[in-house]
Amino acid sequence: MRYLPWSEIIERIIIPSLLATLRMLYFEIIIGGILGFLLAIALYMTREHGLNPNKTIHTILNTFISIIRSFPFVILMVSVIPLTRYITGSSIGWRAALVPLTMASVPFIARMFENSFKEVNPSLIEAAKSFGASDFQIIFKVILADVLPSLISGSILCVIQVLNLTPVAGTIGAGGLGSSALQYGYQSFNDRVMYSVVLVLMILVIGIQFGGSKIYKRLK
């Protein structure tokens, strides 16, 4: 078996794959973060002791999250191919991968954010209401200000979770580190490429965790 020189592995495989993974991660965190945050707000407001209790809406949203989270990502990714093709015009590529990645990550992000919102002392909310604060002001000036460190900590877990999903998305032609590990490493019986990709993924996770911990300590 002929192994590629390290210089070629890095230049032709690792760097392009890393850039593709970071591109997917960047867009997914923006899309998933916004949708997950809005879903978490809706869950928090409509719960039994929320700002605007609504059992029907809360049950529907809660059930939706539970159903999506119960799906293994590979099965979810394949089952939504018609929807992916309708939205993006294709079922392969990194843009197409954003559809199943969003569907898988939004419920996870929403649940993480909702749990952070529940940590707010109810007396703070009651005090804000007594001063005539609107729901918008309570959410953004009371709740978010109080749970910001917790949100940062949860966001780091969400980023790592999405990063763990991107290699799986490589199986539908999304590119990235997972696709390279499978195509140029495992299927080509090239351990050098495969374990190099694994090492890069490990470094990414450690870097994200380290950066998140620094931000968390500053805000704590």
Side-chain angles (χ1 to χ4, degrees):
M1 180 189 305
R2 175 182 175 271
Y3 284 108
L4 290 172
W6 283 112
S7 59
E8 290 192 32
I9 291 176
I10 294 173
E11 182 180 351
R12 293 169 52 186
I13 299 176
I14 299 298
I15 292 179
S17 301
L18 176 61
L19 293 176
T21 294
L22 292 176
R23 180 175 55 195
M24 275 192 291
L25 186 63
Y26 172 77
F27 284 103
E28 175 50 35
I29 289 302
I30 291 177
I31 299 172
I34 293 173
L35 295 179
F37 175 77
L38 294 176
L39 184 55
I41 291 294
L43 282 167
Y44 182 78
M45 292 185 66
T46 58
R47 70 193 186 107
E48 184 178 357
H49 300 291
L51 299 175
N52 291 290
N54 189 312
K55 186 177 181 180
T56 301
I57 294 178
H58 185 79
T59 301
I60 292 173
L61 295 178
N62 206 40
T63 302
F64 167 76
I65 289 177
S66 299
I67 291 175
I68 297 299
R69 291 190 67 188
S70 67
F71 271 79
F73 181 60
V74 174
I75 297 176
L76 176 66
M77 187 171 58
V78 173
S79 63
V80 299
I81 284 179
L83 177 63
T84 300
R85 190 179 290 114
Y86 176 78
I87 293 175
T88 66
S90 175
S91 59
I92 60 174
W94 71 271
R95 289 183 179 84
L98 290 179
V99 176
L101 282 172
T102 299
M103 293 187 66
S105 63
V106 165
F108 181 82
I109 295 172
R111 191 67 79 194
M112 291 290 296
F113 285 0
E114 181 197 14
N115 290 335
S116 294
F117 295 156
K118 289 179 180 178
E119 296 176 5
V120 178
N121 191 332
S123 61
L124 290 176
I125 298 176
E126 292 301 323
K129 285 183 178 179
S130 67
F131 284 105
S134 65
D135 291 346
F136 182 87
Q137 290 173 323
I138 291 174
I139 290 172
F140 288 93
K141 293 186 177 182
V142 177
I143 295 176
L144 288 184
D146 188 62
V147 302
L148 186 57
S150 177
L151 287 180
I152 295 298
S153 180
S155 297
I156 298 307
L157 294 178
C158 294
V159 172
I160 293 175
Q161 171 71 8
V162 174
L163 179 61
N164 290 335
L165 294 178
T166 55
V168 184
T171 60
I172 61 168
L177 292 168
S179 178
S180 294
L182 183 66
Q183 181 179 354
Y184 301 112
Y186 179 75
Q187 293 179 347
S188 301
F189 302 100
N190 193 325
D191 293 342
R192 181 178 292 184
V193 172
M194 187 169 67
Y195 289 116
S196 295
V197 171
V198 171
L199 178 61
V200 172
L201 284 170
M202 289 175 58
I203 293 173
L204 272 178
V205 171
I206 293 172
I208 292 170
Q209 187 66 60
F210 179 79
S213 297
K214 286 290 187 181
I215 298 174
Y216 176 81
K217 289 179 180 178
R218 289 189 177 184
L219 296 175
K220 188 67 175 175

